[in-house]
Amino acid sequence: AANSLLNQYSKSIRYGFALRSLFSGLLIPFGFAPFHLPGLAILGIALLFLQLRNQSLKQSFKIGFFFGMGFLSLGVSWIHVSIHSYGHLNTIFSAFITLIFIAYLAVFPGLGAFCYQAIASKRSLLLNCFLFSATWCLSEYLRATVLSGFPWLLLGYGQIDSPLRHLMPIIGVYGVSFIACFAATLLASSMQAERKKRYLWIIPCISLIIGPSLLKNIEWTSTSDKPVSVGVIQANISMRDKWGESLFWKILQRYEKAISNLMGKAQVIVLPESAIPVPINYVSDILEGLDLQAKSSGTAILLGIPQPTTVDNTAYYNTLTTLGTAQGTYLKQHLVPFGEFIPGPFQTLVEWLSLPAANLLSGKNNQSLIAVQNSPIASLICYEIAYPNLLRKQLPEAEWIVAISDDGWFGHSLAMHQQLQMSQALSLITGRYQIVANNDGLSSVIDNHGYIVSSLPTFTSDILEAKIYPSSKASPWVKLGDWPTLLISFLLVFVGLFFRHYKKLI
């Protein structure tokens, strides 16, 4: 009996690290919308840094992996809703697929922790703070880019609710991730320091978090004083109704009525992603009628609609098209893996499971900008909001941003709130007003400082009327992008490698 108790105790110690890592990771999502507690995200990173102290490479990877499992399991739990409700898989199987996907994503913080331990200094705690921040930042970048990437819940996005937000127009989301992570390591170092010396770590930590407030009055772009009136139609149509043939004409009539009510009142009318859920050539006569009405009233209409890529309508583009006083079309470039396209290696698996085939194609890079009453604008469709560089390619020519979405795929989950927060970050780092049109809620107008000017509640049908102001010039991030942050992170990794192994080189 005594031996059995000893064995159980040793196992609890051996696997206790996993529970601690999961707990630390679970703090991270609370730093993001809809919770808006950025300090908890910094605390979670601090606890991870503490837990990695004096660990082996193998153990460090495990700690980082379980940390990732904790923070992503809660943070992107909405993936299960999409797979279960609209992929038509039972709860157990959809939960299993979601778990596999989250485990894959958790590999990246695991690799970050592994790389940090491989280069960590045995002499300088301050250098370790820099090295950990660099490896975390690089692991986020890899997660956002490898195999088309999944840049959800990057640490920098959550800091839009802290004074670090004022650094975003300068160093972007990854740069703010680096600074937030560095502040977290300073906090953790204060916990390790002797009581009399803790202030040597706490003061720089607090200064680093609060200091960027000194930049809040700097205007990186120039904003016009001539407003543009806009109307956003939020229909709140369920995904099952939206694609049901029997309800199509009712949906179309609802949109036509809302557009008619806004004609002459709003200079720009925006409808969400796939607002009209049939190919554009099926309703060409209706769109021509709306186009004539819009031109006669001096109104621009932007709406989401599928556009066929083949004569037999077997493949489509996810499109933002224009009517009235707007010209041009935007074809979605970055499609959602498994939702809008199936990666090649998984084609066989999808066929074996008899899942619906994805038939969307991605648009070309460097498309001409849509022009609204001769003003060029930047366009994003749904998932593309998570990729700031897609927006950066359209700047500084674009004077404001239109982002259309339909988050009905994710039900009553965190996804919609997280996506709106990313939209706020895009407006902040580019200094541009933004119109966010979402089918099922949180349609918003965001100002050039990333603040929400006006917004509609979730899961309601309504019309949002507001004003936006065009902007010109470019913020430092628009000019330089993420390369300065990534280059500094790479250089720090090389510095860590040199100081860790310089004796062997000599």
Side-chain angles (χ1 to χ4, degrees):
N3 287 335
S4 177
L5 288 172
L6 285 173
N7 288 334
Q8 291 179 10
Y9 179 71
S10 63
K11 287 181 179 179
S12 67
I13 294 175
R14 189 186 312 166
Y15 297 110
F17 80 92
L19 293 176
R20 291 193 296 272
S21 300
L22 284 168
F23 171 76
S24 301
L26 284 170
L27 293 177
I28 302 297
F30 291 98
F32 296 82
F35 307 107
H36 302 287
L37 299 170
L40 287 183
I42 290 178
L43 177 60
I45 297 293
L47 293 176
L48 173 63
F49 183 66
L50 282 173
Q51 199 172 347
L52 289 173
R53 185 182 183 187
N54 299 326
Q55 298 291 345
S56 66
L57 291 176
K58 182 178 179 181
Q59 189 72 355
S60 295
F61 175 82
K62 291 180 180 178
I63 290 170
F65 175 81
F66 281 105
F67 179 87
M69 288 294 291
F71 115 69
L72 292 161
S73 293
L74 175 58
V76 298
S77 55
W78 44 266
I79 292 174
H80 172 262
V81 178
S82 180
I83 296 174
H84 172 60
S85 299
Y86 301 104
H88 307 294
L89 296 179
N90 64 55
T91 302
I92 296 176
F93 199 30
S94 59
F96 174 74
I97 292 176
T98 303
L99 184 63
I100 293 297
F101 180 65
I102 289 173
Y104 160 72
L105 296 177
V107 167
F108 291 97
L111 288 174
F114 178 92
C115 292
Y116 161 70
Q117 202 63 249
I119 61 176
S121 171
K122 297 180 180 179
R123 299 179 181 177
S124 174
L125 183 55
L126 180 60
L127 177 58
N128 285 344
C129 293
F130 281 105
L131 295 177
F132 180 85
S133 303
T135 54
W136 176 270
C137 185
L138 292 174
S139 73
E140 282 197 334
Y141 178 75
L142 289 175
R143 176 164 65 86
T145 54
V146 173
L147 296 178
S148 89
F150 190 77
W152 221 264
L153 297 187
L154 302 182
L155 186 62
Y157 282 125
Q159 297 308 309
I160 196 171
D161 295 308
S162 79
L164 292 179
R165 72 187 321 275
H166 303 293
L167 294 174
M168 281 194 183
I170 307 172
I171 56 178
V173 174
Y174 290 108
V176 172
S177 285
F178 184 99
I179 299 299
C181 198
F182 186 62
T185 60
L186 294 176
L187 175 63
S189 298
S190 72
M191 301 177 190
Q192 299 178 26
E194 297 178 11
R195 188 170 184 178
K196 295 181 180 180
K197 296 182 178 180
R198 285 180 182 172
Y199 71 93
L200 295 174
W201 299 96
I202 286 292
I203 291 176
C205 174
I206 295 174
S207 300
L208 196 62
I209 294 174
I210 297 178
S213 297
L214 298 174
L215 304 172
K216 66 181 179 180
N217 293 322
I218 296 179
E219 295 288 343
W220 299 106
T221 57
S222 178
T223 303
S224 170
D225 57 359
K226 296 180 180 179
V228 177
S229 58
V230 301
V232 181
I233 302 173
Q234 179 175 292
N236 191 35
I237 299 168
S238 75
M239 298 306 295
R240 292 181 176 86
D241 291 344
K242 182 174 182 177
W243 302 100
E245 185 177 350
S246 61
L247 295 174
F248 168 72
W249 295 109
K250 290 184 178 179
I251 293 171
L252 190 58
Q253 289 170 5
R254 184 191 300 185
Y255 276 123
E256 286 182 309
K257 181 179 179 181
I259 291 172
S260 296
N261 290 337
L262 287 169
M263 286 278 195
K265 293 170 58 181
Q267 294 170 266
V268 181
I269 301 172
V270 185
L271 281 66
E273 178 186 15
S274 299
I276 299 179
V278 299
I280 196 168
N281 53 322
Y282 284 23
V283 289
S284 57
D285 55 336
I286 295 173
L287 294 181
E288 287 173 6
L290 287 173
D291 184 46
L292 291 174
Q293 292 179 48
K295 284 178 178 176
S296 64
S297 65
T299 303
I301 300 176
L302 291 80
L303 61 91
I305 187 171
Q307 178 175 310
T309 64
T310 56
V311 176
D312 57 355
N313 290 350
T314 57
Y316 303 90
Y317 291 120
N318 191 343
T319 305
L320 174 62
T321 195
T322 60
L323 304 172
T325 57
Q327 303 86 37
T329 297
Y330 175 73
L331 310 177
K332 187 176 183 181
Q333 299 177 54
H334 206 114
L335 303 179
V336 182
F338 302 102
E340 295 178 314
F341 82 101
I342 305 298
F346 296 93
Q347 288 283 357
T348 303
L349 177 62
V350 168
E351 292 172 3
W352 178 71
L353 292 173
S354 298
L355 295 177
N359 58 352
L360 289 178
L361 299 179
S362 58
K364 296 180 180 179
N365 295 328
N366 302 317
Q367 300 175 41
S368 298
L369 299 184
I370 287 175
V372 175
Q373 297 172 354
N374 299 319
S375 295
I377 68 167
S379 308
L380 297 169
I381 300 179
C382 198
Y383 187 55
E384 293 183 324
I385 292 170
Y387 293 86
N389 279 305
L390 283 177
L391 174 59
R392 182 171 171 261
K393 289 191 299 182
Q394 304 177 64
L395 296 166
E397 291 77 17
E399 297 179 358
W400 39 277
I401 308 165
V402 169
I404 61 172
S405 300
D406 187 348
D407 291 335
W409 299 104
F410 311 120
H412 294 252
S413 67
L414 304 176
M416 194 189 309
H417 302 274
Q418 294 168 352
Q419 191 178 49
L420 180 60
Q421 188 175 53
M422 287 189 282
S423 287
Q424 290 180 258
L426 294 184
S427 285
L428 175 59
I429 63 177
T430 60
R432 296 294 191 273
Y433 270 75
Q434 182 175 179
I435 301 170
V436 177
N438 195 358
N439 168 58
D440 50 338
L442 298 184
S443 294
S444 305
V445 167
I446 302 169
D447 71 12
N448 58 325
H449 298 112
Y451 294 109
I452 296 173
V453 174
S454 185
S455 186
L456 294 177
T458 57
F459 307 107
T460 59
S461 177
D462 205 346
I463 294 176
L464 174 66
E465 296 184 63
K467 293 181 179 180
I468 62 170
Y469 295 83
S471 298
S472 58
K473 298 183 180 180
S475 66
W477 178 82
V478 169
K479 295 176 181 178
L480 300 174
D482 297 312
W483 291 112
T485 298
L486 297 175
L487 181 59
I488 289 171
S489 297
F490 274 116
L491 289 174
L492 283 169
V493 169
F494 284 120
V495 168
L497 283 170
F498 176 78
F499 281 104
R500 180 71 181 259
H501 303 290
Y502 78 98
K503 290 184 178 179
K504 296 179 182 179
L505 295 174
I506 296 174

